[in-house]
Amino acid sequence: MANSFRRLRGHKDTATCCVASHEKPGLVVTAGEDGCVCLFDMRCKEVIYTMEVGENPISSLCFKPGNEDILYVAAGMEIKSFDISMLTSWKAVKTFACNAEEINQVACNSKASFLGATDDGGEVKIVDIRQNSIFKTLRNVHTSICSTVQFIPWRPYEVITGGLDSKLVLWDFSKGRPLKVVDYGMSQVGNSNAPGQCLNPAFVHSVAVPEVDMLDKTGKMCVVGRGDGVVDVMAIEPEPAPAKTKTSGKKSQVKSGTASTANDSWSRMSIYLDEAVGGHSAAVSCVTISSFGEKGKFIISGGNDKSVKVWNVDCMKTSSSSDILHLNIDLTKKVNWLCTTPCDTDNLVVCDTSKVVKVYSIS
């Protein structure tokens, strides 16, 4: 449960994002509109280090998998990498200036070879970290701000993005082309609102995918935080191809409820966590998958309704709707970002629209 929380103080303006180390349990890094990065050790009461990155608000953070001394910081149109083991002289190790518009999120793939950066122009830049150069630009699909990006850990050249055009896109970034596109703005899937709704449109604000060591618990899924308040849990893997009949050699008809197109193969396998099961009453701004305890046990979402929801993945598999919502946390501010730590306590970090970061203990 989460009856109380601790406060992390260090920012002079709104805390925009956070990331927790998996290699160094207890280390949490936050960033804000003040252009500063703050390092916290959950064993200590105060911030252990604050660094001024620049004048621009910081929009996103991520560690380099396999070497979490390296931290990537996105601010404005640049991504800077820092070595946090050198706290006395924090200077950027590398700077990637590949995006032509402001960056909304940066993510690193599990092999630590590529960065993905989404921007206000609707483009996704895939950066080759080792060559310090653009590997691919993904464009001509998102028609508005591209807000979120995550690499698929079990597929080396695939990445998933979402945007304020209400599109969710799975890409083969080695070829620079989309594999699947879901347009929430053209469908009523998962809610009762009309297509092309003007009030609380189904913008894609946040996407989360499980790490490889969570797959036994979660399966190969994708979690989508939407502007209409829905948390959409969908299978990434396509439906198996229909079996051929022995008599004709032709494909058998698709059974009711299964998918016949690329778009349907996502939408029809979705679980929609909405107000009917205790979900959000306003836009879902961030989603994540728990890394504490039994990894992948919970999906956690935060929204503009000033609440955080903790969802039980096991109950989704058994269709036990009464137990799907494990915990609701009421806040006083809208949620900007969430992350989890691998610790038994102090394992949920919440950045809201204040300058104070909250840390809860979830069990």
Side-chain angles (χ1 to χ4, degrees):
M1 302 301 289
N3 298 319
S4 61
F5 61 91
R6 63 179 292 190
R7 296 171 175 86
L8 303 183
R9 304 181 188 274
H11 289 289
K12 299 176 182 178
D13 206 338
T14 301
T16 54
C17 53
C18 54
V19 63
S21 173
H22 291 180
E23 297 175 7
K24 303 175 181 180
L27 176 64
V28 172
V29 184
T30 65
E33 290 186 358
D34 54 4
C36 290
V37 171
C38 294
L39 270 70
F40 297 92
D41 186 332
M42 294 294 99
R43 297 168 297 181
C44 306
K45 292 183 178 181
E46 307 295 333
V47 59
I48 58 175
Y49 196 80
T50 301
M51 179 192 68
E52 294 185 6
V53 173
E55 297 180 356
N56 291 319
I58 296 170
S59 57
S60 185
L61 300 166
C62 69
F63 282 115
K64 182 177 183 178
N67 180 11
E68 291 190 352
D69 283 337
I70 302 299
L71 177 72
Y72 296 104
V73 180
M77 295 181 287
E78 292 184 334
I79 305 167
K80 295 181 178 180
S81 66
F82 297 91
D83 187 340
I84 63 173
S85 67
M86 302 173 62
L87 293 179
T88 55
S89 59
W90 259 35
K91 295 182 179 179
V93 178
K94 288 183 180 179
T95 298
F96 306 96
C98 301
N99 293 75
E101 302 282 349
E102 288 194 6
I103 297 169
N104 293 305
Q105 188 174 11
V106 62
C108 190
N109 73 328
S110 59
K111 300 293 186 181
S113 51
F114 295 105
L115 286 172
T118 64
D119 65 33
D120 282 356
E123 293 189 346
V124 186
K125 299 291 185 179
I126 305 297
V127 181
D128 187 321
I129 296 173
R130 295 159 185 166
Q131 299 297 322
N132 198 28
S133 62
I134 295 178
F135 177 79
K136 222 73 164 184
T137 298
L138 310 180
R139 54 163 67 99
N140 298 329
V141 177
H142 287 294
T143 57
S144 183
I145 292 170
C146 190
S147 50
T148 182
V149 59
Q150 290 294 328
F151 288 93
I152 308 299
W154 57 91
R155 294 186 178 181
Y157 287 99
E158 292 185 21
V159 69
I160 193 165
T161 63
L164 302 195
D165 55 359
S166 300
K167 290 179 182 176
L168 183 73
V169 185
L170 179 66
W171 303 83
D172 179 341
F173 68 83
S174 67
K175 299 177 180 178
R177 62 180 180 85
L179 298 174
K180 299 179 184 177
V181 179
V182 172
D183 190 343
Y184 291 116
M186 296 300 292
S187 70
Q188 300 185 56
V189 176
N191 67 69
S192 60
N193 296 308
Q197 65 193 80
C198 297
L199 184 62
N200 295 330
F203 296 157
V204 179
H205 291 294
S206 180
V207 169
V209 295
E211 298 298 329
V212 172
D213 60 359
M214 299 178 180
L215 294 180
D216 287 344
K217 188 71 178 177
T218 64
K220 295 178 179 178
M221 70 178 185
C222 170
V223 184
V224 185
R226 293 171 21 180
D228 56 359
V230 174
V231 176
D232 188 2
V233 185
M234 58 170 58
I236 291 179
E237 294 298 326
E239 288 284 327
K244 293 183 178 181
T245 63
K246 293 182 179 180
T247 55
S248 64
K250 296 180 180 179
K251 292 182 179 180
S252 62
Q253 292 184 347
V254 179
K255 295 180 180 179
S256 175
T258 61
S260 59
T261 68
N263 281 357
D264 285 345
S265 70
W266 278 10
S267 64
R268 296 192 184 184
M269 293 187 289
S270 290
I271 299 170
Y272 300 98
L273 306 176
D274 56 16
E275 282 193 274
V277 290
H280 295 278
S281 59
V284 179
S285 53
C286 189
V287 290
T288 191
I289 302 171
S290 62
S291 59
F292 53 82
E294 189 178 358
K295 290 185 178 181
K297 182 178 181 179
F298 300 115
I299 289 169
I300 305 174
S301 59
N304 289 352
D305 58 354
K306 304 176 184 178
S307 73
V308 172
K309 312 284 184 178
V310 181
W311 306 93
N312 192 315
V313 171
D314 282 339
C315 292
M316 296 177 198
K317 297 176 183 177
T318 60
S319 300
S320 178
S321 60
S322 61
D323 298 321
I324 288 178
L325 183 59
H326 175 76
L327 181 66
N328 178 77
I329 303 172
D330 291 321
L331 309 175
T332 59
K333 302 285 185 180
K334 296 178 180 179
V335 175
N336 281 335
W337 212 284
L338 302 165
C339 71
T340 63
T341 76
C343 305
D344 292 333
T345 60
D346 293 339
N347 47 28
L348 172 60
V349 185
V350 180
C351 293
D352 58 27
T353 53
S354 74
K355 59 185 178 182
V356 179
V357 178
K358 285 77 177 178
V359 185
Y360 296 84
S361 294
I362 305 297
S363 60

